[in-house]
Amino acid sequence: MEDEVVLLDFWPSSFAMRVKIALGEKGIKYKCKQEDLFNKSPLLLEMNPIHKKIPVLIHNGKPISESLIILQYIDQVWNHKSPLLPSCPYQRSQALFWADYIDKKIYGIGRRVWMGKEDQEEAKEELMQCLKTLERELGDKLYFGGQNIGVVDVALVPFTTWFYSYETCGNFSIEAGCPKLVAWAKRCKENYRSVSEALPHPLQIYEYVMELKKRLGLV
Amino acid sequence: MRFNALESMSFFTSNNTNVNRGSTRKSTNLPTMAVVKLFGTWLSPYVYRVIWALKLKGISYEYIEEDLSNKSPLLLQYNPIHKKIPVLLHDGKPICESTVILRYIDEIWPQNPLLPADPYDRAVALFWIKFADDKSPLLSKLYRTEGEEQQAVVKEWLEMLEAMEEHALIEGKKFFGGDEINMVDIAFCMVAYWLGLIEDFAGLKIFEPHKFPRVSAWIQNFKSVPVIKDNLPDTDKMFALMKHRREMLLTSKSN
């Protein structure tokens, strides 16, 4: 019996993009269902009653929530190719540490940057500090995963499609502060179809951000 | 043996360590294959998570008490990103963040597994561990606040307890892990022990057993597990210290 894989998605979400990259890397066929986060479907509310958030992966009717957990689930079930996590326990712990770091920092700080309220300057500084820390961690490696992309690359690269929005709303340049990180993002998109197909164009994200800001009364 | 870091600031690995590398042999006279060290503070729930995991697996370790108002150069070297405890050192290599540490311990020493092997069950366990982790700042928020601000924190606590009661705990299961505790039980430790202490010294009543019967039963079961029962911070000392800290915090806020 063929697997039934459904992804509850919201196209601008960096968290959902992570899952799309992983599914693409593993060559998994899936149905993508767009959610309206201002009018959540009964399916979403049933599949993720605790947080009511996307992404949710539904595999043969069973839901898995939280993007990093979904990535690990995908990696464990479809382990025939493109491993996302290192096989060595110590390296795995380091990968999970950095994925957790990205989760704790980038979304929240980035949001404060594009919202453009009183704490924007502080948020810009914090964002650059985090990205510089990540750039240092990347070092001279091609990818955070080494020769190939791994869970840390997949966790971070979707946020790079939001960089243009952060920069434009905050009037600063991320590339000027983190050239190696921006080069890494380009490399991921050029060398991995799963990445280039999962990430919307930065201008599309910017258009969405401006609409959202209008909706929130911030412009 | 009750672990009381105030009375024995560090204790050393015995000559008969059983630091197994994936094997489940009982080690009696194996040489020390690797040194395991844990940097922590005696009242942190995050530190106890690691202590319990090591003890459940039968791993000996050296404990180093940190003074968070004066962090040691070693701690800053081993956790330069967050500068926090706990930090586990294994073979000289540091692992930070309690959940990352727990998962590492579970992989290196597979006896008494702390996560399900089945991918779906594992994903569900990881979901609840993350849920507990995301809620854990509520613990310090509770004793650092008062008035309306504290009421908002109490509301969040109640929402968390409802989620545990309605969705996480299954009727008839002794623990989140089934018949034995696992990483999910360990992750929710602040509900089992630290919440009650804060309620006492802050004069609050958040947890009402009749409103959360499953959580209430789970707390009793969890605290009865020998490894947990024998390794908890000293209640009186913690009560006194945290009460004092709360008074200092609230006084400095109003000045």
Side-chain angles (χ1 to χ4, degrees), chain B residues 147-158:
Chain B
E148 257 182 53
E149 213 184 334
Q150 192 182 59
Q151 282 310 305
V153 178
V154 169
K155 186 165 176 276
E156 284 193 72
W157 265 101
L158 289 171

Side-chain angles (χ1 to χ4, degrees), chain B residues 43-76:
Chain B
L43 42 52
S44 162
Y46 303 103
V47 172
Y48 280 87
R49 288 173 167 191
V50 180
I51 289 169
W52 295 325
L54 289 168
K55 289 199 180 272
L56 283 166
K57 306 265 185 180
I59 307 306
S60 296
Y61 60 98
E62 180 188 338
Y63 175 78
I64 296 124
E65 177 75 14
E66 278 288 328
D67 174 1
L68 296 185
S69 61
N70 184 20
K71 293 174 184 178
S72 73
L74 269 182
L75 175 63
L76 300 177

Side-chain angles (χ1 to χ4, degrees), chain B residues 4-231:
Chain B
N4 187 329
L6 280 190
E7 271 153 41
S8 55
M9 286 304 207
S10 66
F11 55 87
F12 298 90
T13 50
S14 67
N15 287 332
N16 293 334
T17 57
N18 58 350
V19 177
N20 293 318
R21 287 185 188 276
S23 92
T24 51
R25 280 179 300 162
K26 274 202 183 118
S27 70
T28 46
N29 292 308
L30 283 177
T32 306
M33 291 186 72
V35 174
V36 181
K37 296 187 188 190
L38 174 62
F39 293 78
T41 58
W42 65 274
L43 42 52
S44 162
Y46 303 103
V47 172
Y48 280 87
R49 288 173 167 191
V50 180
I51 289 169
W52 295 325
L54 289 168
K55 289 199 180 272
L56 283 166
K57 306 265 185 180
I59 307 306
S60 296
Y61 60 98
E62 180 188 338
Y63 175 78
I64 296 124
E65 177 75 14
E66 278 288 328
D67 174 1
L68 296 185
S69 61
N70 184 20
K71 293 174 184 178
S72 73
L74 269 182
L75 175 63
L76 300 177
Q77 176 194 331
Y78 292 137
N79 192 356
I81 304 296
H82 299 304
K83 306 175 175 50
K84 285 181 176 178
I85 52 84
V87 175
L88 189 81
L89 206 66
H90 182 219
D91 270 350
K93 293 182 293 200
I95 303 106
C96 310
E97 294 295 300
S98 64
T99 299
V100 177
I101 296 172
L102 291 182
R103 291 188 63 180
Y104 176 79
I105 289 171
D106 203 38
E107 284 175 32
I108 293 287
W109 297 289
Q111 63 273 31
N112 297 334
L114 297 175
L115 279 176
D118 173 76
Y120 185 74
D121 293 341
R122 193 179 180 89
V124 172
L126 291 175
F127 174 88
W128 287 111
I129 292 164
K130 183 173 198 298
F131 179 86
D133 277 351
D134 289 346
K135 300 293 177 189
S136 49
L138 288 181
L139 195 69
S140 78
K141 271 189 197 173
L142 197 58
Y143 83 79
R144 286 168 188 274
T145 55
E146 54 181 349
E148 257 182 53
E149 213 184 334
Q150 192 182 59
Q151 282 310 305
V153 178
V154 169
K155 186 165 176 276
E156 284 193 72
W157 265 101
L158 289 171
E159 283 167 3
M160 177 180 112
L161 291 167
E162 274 160 28
M164 286 172 77
E165 182 76 23
E166 299 302 316
H167 297 277
L169 281 162
I170 294 171
E171 197 70 56
K173 261 202 334 188
K174 242 184 126 178
F175 302 107
F176 291 97
D179 293 325
E180 307 280 341
I181 63 168
N182 75 359
M183 216 182 280
V184 183
D185 299 273
I186 291 173
F188 277 114
C189 65
M190 66 171 185
V191 174
Y193 182 75
W194 279 261
L195 174 62
L197 264 170
I198 296 178
E199 282 180 303
D200 285 345
F201 70 71
L204 292 165
K205 192 64 198 155
I206 300 170
F207 183 78
E208 289 173 280
H210 68 277
K211 286 192 177 160
F212 303 103
R214 287 179 187 171
V215 177
S216 184
W218 170 78
I219 290 172
Q220 297 315 313
N221 292 334
F222 183 73
K223 282 160 85 169
S224 308
V225 174
V227 161
I228 308 296
K229 194 168 59 148
D230 294 342
N231 295 286

Side-chain angles (χ1 to χ4, degrees), chain A residues 63 72 76 90 92-93 104, chain B residues 94 97 103 107 117 120 122:
Chain A
Q72 291 169 75
Q76 198 183 352
Y90 184 72
R92 196 156 45 239
S93 75
K104 282 186 161 87
Chain B
E97 294 295 300
R103 291 188 63 180
E107 284 175 32
Y120 185 74
R122 193 179 180 89

